[in-house]
Amino acid sequence: MSPIFHPEFKSTPYWWDALPAGEPPQEDLPARADVVIIGGGLTGLNCAIELGRGGAHAVVLEAEKLGFGASTRNGGGVSGGNAIGKGLSGAKGRSGETADELVKSMIGDAVEGLNHIESIVARENIDCHYARTGRFIGAFTPKHYAGMQAKMGQLNDLAQADAHMVPRERQREEMATDYYYGGMVINRTGKIHPALYHWGLMEAARRHGATLVGHTRAGKLTKLADGWRVETNRGSIEAREVVIATNGYTGDITPDLKRRLMPIASHIIATEVLDPGLAASLIPKMRTLADSKRILCYYRLSPDGTRVLFGGRAKFTQVSPEVSAPLLHAMMLERWPQLKGTRVTHAWTGNVAFAFDYLPHMGQTQKGLHYAMGCNGSGVAILSYLGAEIGKKILGQANRVISFDGQDFPTKPFYSGNPWFLPMVGNWYKFRDWLDRRLA
């Protein structure tokens, strides 16, 4: 193995080290429930909690162990509504609603995602190191900096972002690097320990009466006169309504949804414990970091401030740590040469789901068959929120139609859900980044 790997290297998420050893006892699969939720991540658990608070019995099915997917594999950044802008240019208003009104509604609902995270963490007493510390987005080129500056007003007006620009000469106030051409600070964002957040959601869902069934793969959906039957590898279960909460792991059980999503791998490494002075110097204000590259990176310190967690699109597809970790390590050194010689203790990957319009989506494919998906790389807040909103909708407690609900969910001709073209896209993006930097 490469010398960057620590002798005690693990190919599992750093976040998992904080969880109790082993798994909770396996629960039996009931014969019936009010609602079956397929997918045991943040979307499904938030939905189950809301349903339980309203008196409905939810059964959550997870094909692997609960929390196996991106819900506990992400970088732990919590967007405050600033991460959905790319898809807004094509947004179309509903009847009687202009496109501008829809854009305002979507940004407003994305803003509510952060409010929801803060609310449920406080209400359910989830100890997950949540903090609203802000995010610094580094400008890869001067042109990118100018683009950020042009959009800052809209972010502040519509997303309550509390954003400001940081010129290059003041960049070291935010991070110990000269790699970027300045950037933008967005104060209205947070960070979280994703595995502890997920664990806290599981405990809350159980308190509110949900049944959580891991290692139970849904295999077939059948419409009944009074609801649905879900076949699994452990038997069948019937329910009045079903929620699909599979996002980057959406499969053949819902082929119509699968062909509307592109599952893209995101890779992360964790470094060994750093010298305290060095660690403290890297991100003086303990923010999360990201950049404006097409092959983007996102990174932060661990909750205890001792390690760097560095993620990005090292490859757009699933690859082994022996491939992804050296690439991410090299990207990290481009930004922080002072970390030369630092070894990697953990490397892992997870799927994020991109929609073709770069917007999150919720709705129904048939009566009683609900979905929420399409995080586009920023799902901790928005999919937690949409999961809870589906729960309210099923209960009849929603006081308005969420802007992402029922929007056109596009796909492409002949696309079946297998993004075979991603390596070519990645190479093209890599070339464009190289060219942008060359011309900067």
Side-chain angles (χ1 to χ4, degrees):
M1 293 179 70
S2 167
I4 69 165
F5 290 100
H6 192 276
E8 298 179 3
F9 170 78
K10 301 177 182 178
S11 59
T12 54
Y14 164 77
W15 306 119
W16 291 6
D17 288 0
L19 297 177
E23 292 188 48
Q26 178 72 309
E27 296 194 51
D28 293 332
L29 180 69
R32 186 161 184 89
D34 294 320
V35 181
V36 168
I37 300 168
I38 300 175
L42 304 186
T43 312
L45 292 176
N46 274 275
C47 184
I49 291 168
E50 204 62 42
L51 289 166
R53 293 177 71 213
H57 176 218
V59 172
V60 179
L61 306 181
E62 172 56 53
E64 306 288 345
K65 72 175 184 177
L66 288 150
F68 176 81
S71 293
T72 62
R73 294 172 179 268
N74 62 78
V78 185
S79 173
N82 55 289
I84 68 165
K86 188 171 182 179
L88 294 176
S89 59
K92 298 177 182 178
R94 296 185 177 94
S95 177
E97 181 182 41
T98 67
D100 286 345
E101 289 171 337
L102 177 60
V103 166
K104 291 180 181 179
S105 296
M106 285 184 168
I107 293 177
D109 282 331
V111 166
E112 285 301 313
L114 183 70
N115 294 339
H116 172 76
I117 289 279
E118 294 180 342
S119 173
I120 197 168
V121 165
R123 188 189 72 221
E124 303 295 343
N125 195 28
I126 300 175
D127 184 6
C128 56
H129 303 287
Y130 175 77
R132 192 190 284 202
T133 51
R135 177 178 301 172
F136 175 71
I137 304 175
F140 187 54
T141 69
K143 185 177 179 180
H144 290 186
Y145 183 91
M148 291 179 186
Q149 196 164 30
K151 294 177 181 177
M152 187 181 69
Q154 184 188 48
L155 276 175
N156 285 333
D157 290 344
L158 299 182
Q160 308 160 31
D162 188 16
H164 65 270
M165 299 304 297
V166 178
R168 194 177 196 186
E169 59 269 21
R170 296 184 56 192
Q171 183 168 274
R172 283 184 170 262
E173 297 174 15
E174 298 296 336
M175 62 179 299
T177 188
D178 297 317
Y179 182 78
Y180 298 113
Y181 287 83
M184 178 192 292
V185 167
I186 301 177
N187 283 301
R188 195 183 182 279
T189 63
K191 62 182 179 181
I192 207 165
H193 189 299
L196 291 179
Y197 173 51
H198 181 271
W199 187 269
L201 290 176
M202 287 197 300
E203 292 184 323
R206 290 191 179 102
R207 282 196 304 272
H208 291 293
T211 302
L212 310 183
V213 188
H215 301 287
T216 304
R217 184 176 297 275
K220 182 181 179 183
L221 292 171
T222 303
K223 186 75 176 76
L224 305 175
D226 60 346
W228 293 85
R229 179 187 299 116
V230 183
E231 305 287 346
T232 81
N233 60 309
R234 297 179 61 206
S236 64
I237 179 172
E238 295 183 3
R240 185 177 71 253
E241 310 203 46
V242 172
V243 177
I244 306 299
T246 46
N247 201 45
Y249 300 83
T250 299
D252 292 335
I253 187 174
T254 53
D256 190 55
L257 292 173
K258 180 181 178 182
R259 63 186 297 266
R260 298 172 194 281
L261 296 169
M262 293 175 286
I264 297 178
S266 197
H267 309 273
I268 308 181
I269 57 173
T271 70
E272 62 190 332
V273 173
L274 304 175
D275 173 81
L278 174 60
S281 72
L282 296 175
I283 314 174
K285 299 175 183 177
M286 291 293 287
R287 303 192 194 277
T288 59
L289 306 178
D291 58 34
S292 63
K293 291 181 68 177
R294 293 174 179 84
I295 307 293
L296 68 86
C297 294
Y298 50 92
Y299 42 119
R300 56 173 288 186
L301 295 179
S302 57
D304 62 4
T306 64
R307 306 167 185 256
V308 170
L309 307 179
F310 193 96
R313 311 283 188 262
K315 294 287 184 179
F316 278 39
T317 54
Q318 297 278 348
V319 294
S320 69
E322 288 78 11
V323 174
S324 62
L327 294 172
L328 289 172
H329 191 270
M331 294 176 188
M332 181 179 72
L333 294 187
E334 285 181 326
R335 290 149 180 82
W336 283 317
Q338 59 268 48
L339 293 180
K340 184 177 180 180
T342 300
R343 295 173 298 180
V344 172
T345 59
H346 300 72
W348 69 98
T349 186
N351 282 350
V352 297
F354 278 76
F356 285 98
D357 59 1
Y358 299 99
L359 291 172
H361 289 269
M362 66 176 281
Q364 295 186 69
T365 61
Q366 301 180 53
K367 181 176 174 56
L369 183 59
H370 306 262
Y371 63 87
M373 51 189 57
C375 66
N376 306 294
S378 300
V380 173
I382 191 62
L383 288 185
S384 291
Y385 173 61
L386 293 185
E389 288 299 315
I390 287 180
K392 291 178 182 178
K393 182 178 176 180
I394 291 172
L395 293 167
Q397 296 178 355
N399 56 16
R400 64 185 179 89
V401 178
I402 300 300
S403 59
F404 301 108
D405 188 359
Q407 293 291 334
D408 179 51
F409 198 171
T411 184
K412 297 292 183 182
F414 309 112
Y415 179 68
S416 64
N418 174 25
W420 54 268
F421 46 81
L422 286 180
M424 291 182 288
V425 173
N427 288 335
W428 172 243
Y429 282 0
K430 185 176 180 180
F431 169 74
R432 291 291 304 279
D433 282 337
W434 174 85
L435 185 62
D436 284 352
R437 191 75 165 190
R438 180 92 177 190
L439 298 175

